Amino acid sequence: MKQWFGSAAICINERNEVLMVRGNDSDRWAVPSGGIEIGETSEDCCIREVREETGYDVRILEKLNVKEIVLKGFEVQTHYFKVEKTGDSAGINDPDGTIVEAAWKSLSNLHDLDHMYPEDMQTILGCSDLIIG
């Protein structure tokens, strides 16, 4: 089976909003993520993907987990990092041309969003100090 390795970023701001992106063929939202390139660490990939997909520079705060699933015939391994933005967005500059929108989504409304990867909800909420009852 083919393998794919990637990184994903969970970035939560001071207003308890998480940075999410939407692709051009979908109404579903996901955290910024992408494939690890040759010679790149999972950390480097995470930082690059956030910059390309959202325009934000980020720094990694901690490694969260590694999600391993089989998707469309691929063994997928995605490294999740908690990150923090270090400035304002320079705008989306996605070389793949797949990301059309980046937005801050309120954690309290996270359940109402249409998610590309619903299993990421626990990871996202686990990064927040917000208590959602």
Side-chain angles (χ1 to χ4, degrees), residues 4-29:
W4 184 90
F5 300 97
S7 292
I10 302 200
C11 184
I12 296 175
N13 67 16
E14 58 285 346
R15 293 189 301 278
N16 275 312
E17 297 165 329
V18 62
L19 186 58
M20 300 191 83
V21 295
R22 187 176 63 78
N24 56 13
D25 54 353
S26 176
D27 291 329
R28 294 193 272 177
W29 292 86

Side-chain angles (χ1 to χ4, degrees), residues 1-7 33-35 66-80 117 119:
M1 190 177 289
K2 290 182 180 170
Q3 292 182 307
W4 184 90
F5 300 97
S7 292
S33 64
V66 178
K67 179 171 79 175
E68 295 184 347
I69 58 171
V70 175
L71 203 63
K72 297 178 183 165
F74 281 83
E75 276 181 34
V76 174
Q77 189 182 83
T78 308
H79 298 258
Y80 282 73
Y117 306 107
E119 68 274 10

